[in-house]
Amino acid sequence: LLTLARRLLPSADQLVELRGWVGCVGRLPNCGLAVHALAAAVRDCLSEHCLSLAVLQSEHREAALPLQQLVHELQPACRALALLHSLVGELLAPPDRGGAGGGHGAAGFAE
């Protein structure tokens, strides 16, 4: 059980960071349209992710999906979330750290 939890916890951290960033961008009017568009796209991706999680959780609660199978089914979603987290972190990193976005709205993201 501990091993299964350790596989999923990084995804939970990434989800929390992405949601926090999306919420923060909405309160920053001077970020620019590209950052706001990115935040909207990330919000859509996170909504789809949460919907998929809800379906799997429902199947697990109905005993139609054992815990190990649930973790197996979550692996593609975890990889996609990690990729999205990495992409947003790279795009928003200041140019001196190799990013393209100049750090707009990235305070504290992926530190």
Side-chain angles (χ1 to χ4, degrees):
L1 188 59
L2 183 60
T3 303
L4 298 177
R6 285 185 177 153
R7 280 193 214 163
L8 297 176
L9 285 177
S11 293
D13 290 339
Q14 293 164 347
L15 180 67
V16 168
E17 284 184 13
L18 286 167
R19 278 189 167 180
W21 175 75
V22 166
C24 180
V25 167
R27 294 185 300 270
L28 299 173
N30 59 344
C31 281
L33 293 177
V35 174
H36 282 282
L38 176 62
V42 170
R43 182 178 22 247
D44 290 345
C45 289
L46 294 179
S47 294
E48 289 293 322
H49 178 76
C50 289
L51 182 61
S52 297
L53 288 177
V55 169
L56 289 172
Q57 181 183 19
S58 175
E59 289 179 15
H60 175 67
R61 284 189 175 169
E62 294 170 0
L65 191 63
L67 184 60
Q68 288 182 337
Q69 183 65 28
L70 173 67
V71 172
H72 175 73
E73 294 289 331
L74 285 172
Q75 290 310 304
C78 290
R79 284 191 297 272
L81 193 61
L83 182 60
L84 181 63
H85 183 268
S86 176
L87 174 71
V88 170
E90 288 295 319
L91 287 174
L92 298 176
D96 60 340
R97 290 184 51 203
H104 300 291
F109 185 80
E111 297 286 46

